[in-house]
Every structure is written in C-alpha cells, then in structure tokens.
Amino acid sequence: MSRAAIALCVGITAVFANGLDAQFVESPVLPRGAILLEAGSAHSQASRVFDGEGDTRSFAASLLGAPLSTGSFPGLADEEERLRALIDDPGRTLSMGVVRGRFDVDEQRTPLRLGWGVLDRVTVGATVPLVRRQHSSTLRIDPQGGNVGLNPAQGAGSGTVNSFRSEAGAALAEMTASVEAVCAEHGEDSSSCLEGQASISSVSAFLDLVGSAWDDALLFPLAGSDAGQALASRWAQVRSQLGMWNAEGPESLPLSTRPISASTFDAEFVGPTWGPAGFPTEGDEPLVEIGDVELHLAIGLLDGRELGRDARFRLRSALEISARLPTGPADSMALVTPMEPVRGYGGAGLRWITDILLDERAALLSEVEWWSFQDRELLLLGTDPTAPWNPEAARRIMSGAPGNLMRIRLTPRILLTPGLSLGAGWELRSTGEGHWDPVATGDAGGPAAPPATLAGTQRQRASVELRFAGWDVERFPSLAFPVELLGRASIAYSGSEGAPRDRRFEIGARVLRGAR
C-alpha cells in the first residue's frame, strides 16, 4: 500500500474516530433495506514456488532448467547423430547448455461488490472483479556444460572454414598422387598400394563428413568442450595419415567458438515449439478484463446483540453461500504459473465469518472458506512437465478443473483508538489436485495425449493490517454514511512443493447506505 493511501486512512480515522466503540468488521450481512458498496484493489506478485524442502525455485522450473539436449528437444536427434559420427563416439550426448531465466506474474484485482439487505439476517449480493494479470519472462542460454555451438561455417568464421577446406583438399590431392605413384611402382595388389588406397578412403570420408556438417548443420563441436577435443584429436590422426604420404594438412580444424545465442534459440527452438503465438508469456494482454462474477447469499447466525450492547464479550457470525460464473478468461497458464485465485471456472463456495470483540480492546476475526470448481474446456499450456519443450505438449485443448480450495484465516487485532485497529493475521490455503483430460490430440491416428495434473498444495501466509470501522453514524452528524477502510500487506512464508510464494498488497473501502 502506498504512503499516500496510508496517510489518507490515518487522516480519516483521526477526524472520525473520536467516541466510536469497537466495531464488527467484514460482515456480509446487512440490516434490512441497507445497501453495501464495496471496492478494493489487490496487487499480487510472484516469481517463485516453494520446493517442499524449505527453499524456493523459479516458476516453470522444468522449462527454465531444461538441458538443451535431445531429451528436452527431440528435434535435435539429427544434430546428435551427426555429432556422434564426427567424433566417432556412438554414445555421446549432445548438449548446448541449459535454459536459464525467470517468470514473473503480476496481478491487479479490483473487486466491486454490491449487497442488499433483504431481511435483517438475509443479504444478497454480487461481486464483479476487474482483473489484469500480466506475465513476463526472460530467457538466456547458459553454455556451461555444453559441447556444441553455432556452426563456424556460418557468419564470421566462414573464412577460416573455407581456408581449411582448400588446404585439406590440396593435401588430399597430394596424398592421392603419392599413393598412385606407389601403386604404379609396386602394383595395384601390393600391400603398400592397398594401404594407401584405404588411407585415401578414410581421409576422404572424414573430410566429406566434416564438409557436410559445415554445409547443413546448425551446430558443431565447441572449442574447449569434450566433443571439441575429441574432434580435434580425430583430425590429428587424419593429419598424421596425410603426413605418412608426404601431404601436409592444416594444423587445426576450425571448431565452433560461439555458444548458441538467444536469437538462434528463439528462432530454432522457441518458435517451432510454441508456434506463431510465441513463448507462453509473449503477446498483448488486455489492460483490464472482467473476471469471474460471483453471486452471494449471506445468512446472519449471530448479530452481536445477543449478550447486550454493554457486554464485555460480543460475537457476530455469518454464513455466505456463493456461486461463481465462468465469465472470466480461462487460465491457460495454470500449469506453468499456478497462481490463485484460479480464473475462468464456475463453481460453488461457502464462507463462514466470525468476529469476536473482547472488552472493547481486542478482537479476533476468523474466516473459513471452501470452493469447488466445475470442469471446462480450455487451451492449456505446458501440459507435459516431463517434456516441457515438446511441441506436441506445448498447447492442447483440455477439459478439467483445478482442485478444491480450502482457506482458513485468523486475524487478531488490537484497538488503538475506538474504530481504529491494528491486526496481524495468519492464513492457511490448501488446494486439491487439479486434473485435465485431452479433448483434441492433433492429427488423426496420432498417439493419445496424456492427462495433465496439478499437484495439490498447502501454504501459509502472514499479514499485517490497519483498519478503520465507523458504523455508528448517529454520533457523527457530519459523517454522511458509515465506512470501513482497510490496508493489508501479506506474504506466503512457507508451503508445500509447487505452492506459489507470492506477496500481496490490498486496500479497500466498504460504504453502507440506507441502514435503519
């Protein structure tokens, strides 16, 4: 919350707090005929999830930590076979390094709520959230551990490659002339002639293999890597063969000196995987959009008057039943950045709110909430975490829903002045396993797409809040209507594996009109 917002809250409370008793807060139940207008703003930010071992990792760790090899990019199979042939090692694994980077999710939510008291203990209402969720990402290639880089025949290294080809071709011609002379002198069937012809075939085959890689391959063994050293050693053996026939080949074979660049990675790997729409986080996002509309029915259980106005212990409790309409856009990033609340799913929820006032000096607000969501079809991204860069699993039409949500929040607060309180809260959020089944698998006759799951999680949050509640307007003729103001900051401090570690800042106002 900004300093200006804090100053506004403090200023208002300084003007209107005099003489107010402790007030109940956040009750969804209104007096008969009253209208409640509620508006707020919540800003959430996250870039990491808990790893279940007391630490955190980046969102989409399987995407960002993926090794640049055939295991992650099946399209590299031909490049790997070419590498194995070049260094004569059928078991060698190609590696360009590792994908590094980060995902960031920023969400601004502005829930607008309207409530109407049908009876003293029955209230109906609706909430329309305005939402903007923005994803951003940075990608870079870490060449650490890589054994191939960009083809030296492309770009600035082409001159060195052309010189090698010319000198090696000349050396092969000298070798061929020497072998022909030996064959002419000793005969075609002589051991020296046969040995020379075998050497010509071996050297020629190697130079053809290297030349083909320079002509067609994207990648080539990297200088300083194990594969680069293996190819350099093989060229030394070939050069030795040339020397045995009085032919001198180039001293060294040009290797790649350029690890794969971000632009090449985008063009050759990101594009083919994610298609014209690009990486999941790319693309224009709307400035603001309507989220999932909720309809509410609140029933008052206790209204705080049972023990009398002067009682040192007072309690207000209410039950709220809600129905959510899937009016918001579907959350296609649910598997990549599992943020809450989920978007684009209908469902039903229950909320039980209890506020206890203790001797006009302290209070305890408790809230228990449960939601269940309905299945729907949507375009889901990154459906196979074991193969995050597999184009077949990048985007799929799936049908399913996230798991049930349970939320428990306790907020003790101290009354600083009548109407003004400072609170410190604890919250537990628990989600069940989400499950989606494929609706369309692409080409007819292709392999069936596996279902996608999102593991259930638990996380705990800590919060601090400053709240002003001024509902007893009969003491303030200059105050036109009752108002409740809230400022809250919270952070997730622990969680199970996969739970987002987010920070949230909230401000809000509730205005009551027409109360009897």
Side-chain angles (χ1 to χ4, degrees):
M1 185 171 62
S2 68
R3 293 182 179 179
I6 294 176
L8 177 62
C9 292
V10 173
I12 292 176
T13 57
V15 174
F16 297 116
N18 249 351
L20 279 177
D21 294 328
Q23 300 294 300
F24 291 112
V25 297
E26 287 200 17
S27 174
V29 179
L30 309 175
R32 184 174 58 186
I35 296 176
L36 178 71
L37 304 175
E38 184 174 349
S41 177
H43 177 211
S44 302
Q45 189 278 332
S47 61
R48 305 184 69 81
V49 296
F50 293 101
D51 65 1
E53 299 179 357
D55 205 348
T56 61
R57 63 171 185 264
S58 297
F59 269 139
S62 58
L63 278 169
L64 299 178
L68 289 164
S69 63
T70 53
S72 299
F73 299 90
L76 289 172
D78 291 342
E79 296 280 353
E80 185 172 74
E81 288 303 317
R82 186 179 284 114
L83 170 68
R84 291 171 173 175
L86 281 172
I87 64 176
D88 194 23
D89 183 354
R92 186 61 57 94
T93 299
L94 175 148
S95 174
M96 296 182 292
V98 178
V99 184
R100 303 292 187 194
R102 62 178 291 160
F103 277 79
D104 288 286
V105 182
D106 285 272
E107 181 179 85
Q108 295 82 40
R109 292 178 59 86
T110 303
L112 306 175
R113 176 164 174 155
L114 176 66
W116 176 56
V118 179
L119 301 172
D120 280 338
R121 297 203 183 196
V122 178
T123 297
V124 295
T127 300
V128 179
L130 304 179
V131 182
R132 185 188 185 194
R133 182 177 289 183
Q134 185 175 14
H135 294 83
S136 60
S137 67
T138 57
L139 284 180
R140 64 182 178 87
I141 309 304
D142 182 357
Q144 185 69 30
N147 56 20
V148 292
L150 295 176
N151 191 336
Q154 302 170 7
S158 59
T160 304
V161 170
N162 291 337
S163 296
F164 177 90
R165 280 177 150 172
S166 177
E167 294 176 21
L172 179 59
E174 293 176 10
M175 178 186 186
T176 302
S178 297
V179 171
E180 288 177 348
V182 169
C183 292
E185 180 179 354
H186 299 286
E188 297 288 340
D189 294 331
S190 65
S191 59
S192 55
C193 179
L194 294 175
E195 182 182 346
Q197 290 175 340
S199 295
I200 290 174
S201 297
S202 175
V203 172
S204 179
F206 176 78
L207 293 178
D208 287 344
L209 184 62
V210 173
S212 175
W214 279 332
D215 289 337
D216 303 326
L218 170 68
L219 307 172
F220 201 78
L222 188 65
S225 69
D226 55 355
Q229 293 171 357
L231 183 56
S233 176
R234 191 175 183 193
W235 167 244
Q237 296 174 5
V238 172
R239 190 166 180 262
S240 176
Q241 285 182 294
L242 290 168
M244 293 174 60
W245 296 94
N246 300 317
E248 184 175 359
E251 184 174 349
S252 61
L253 185 149
L255 300 172
S256 173
T257 57
R258 298 179 298 155
I260 185 170
S261 64
S263 58
T264 301
F265 179 67
D266 286 343
E268 300 293 335
F269 301 99
V270 176
T273 299
W274 295 103
F279 201 52
T281 58
E282 294 179 354
D284 296 332
E285 297 190 26
L287 179 63
V288 66
E289 54 195 1
I290 295 178
D292 301 315
V293 174
E294 295 178 5
L295 306 178
H296 311 289
L297 171 65
I299 302 172
L301 304 178
L302 298 172
D303 67 3
R305 294 177 296 184
E306 285 79 6
L307 300 179
R309 174 73 180 180
D310 298 327
R312 300 182 64 180
F313 172 89
R314 290 187 290 147
L315 183 149
R316 177 176 289 181
S317 183
L319 181 67
E320 182 177 76
I321 304 170
S322 299
R324 173 180 289 188
L325 309 179
T327 52
D331 189 3
S332 61
M333 295 283 288
L335 300 178
V336 182
T337 54
M339 290 287 287
E340 296 174 9
V342 296
R343 300 185 302 170
Y345 293 90
L350 292 174
R351 188 166 66 121
W352 178 32
I353 304 172
T354 301
D355 195 16
I356 302 174
L357 302 183
L358 303 172
D359 199 25
E360 307 295 349
R361 296 180 181 180
L364 174 64
L365 177 66
S366 66
E367 184 177 354
V368 179
E369 186 176 20
W370 174 86
W371 278 96
S372 179
F373 304 101
Q374 295 178 324
D375 289 358
R376 67 163 294 174
E377 289 187 10
L378 76 160
L379 180 67
L380 203 59
L381 306 186
T383 57
D384 186 358
T386 64
W389 290 96
N390 178 4
E392 297 300 321
R395 287 180 168 87
R396 283 197 180 118
I397 302 296
M398 311 287 281
S399 176
N404 295 343
L405 168 67
M406 173 68 78
R407 184 172 68 91
I408 301 173
R409 188 176 73 187
L410 299 175
T411 308
R413 60 188 193 275
I414 299 174
L415 306 178
L416 304 178
T417 65
L420 179 64
S421 63
L422 177 66
W426 169 85
E427 181 180 273
L428 172 67
R429 284 177 175 262
S430 177
T431 62
E433 181 181 82
H435 186 87
W436 293 265
D437 291 309
V439 174
T441 59
D443 297 336
T453 59
L454 182 62
T457 62
Q458 285 191 353
R459 59 178 170 148
Q460 299 185 66
R461 304 177 61 86
S463 65
V464 60
E465 68 174 42
L466 184 66
R467 188 189 297 266
F468 168 71
W471 300 112
D472 288 342
V473 296
E474 66 272 9
R475 302 188 182 185
F476 298 96
S478 61
L479 186 61
F481 45 80
V483 61
E484 180 181 333
L485 302 175
L486 169 69
R488 179 190 292 135
S490 62
I491 186 171
Y493 64 89
S494 72
S496 61
E497 184 175 4
R501 185 179 188 271
D502 63 333
R503 299 184 295 271
R504 180 175 298 173
F505 302 93
E506 304 169 69
I507 57 175
R510 306 173 78 225
V511 178
L512 184 66
R513 300 301 304 270
R516 294 186 294 109

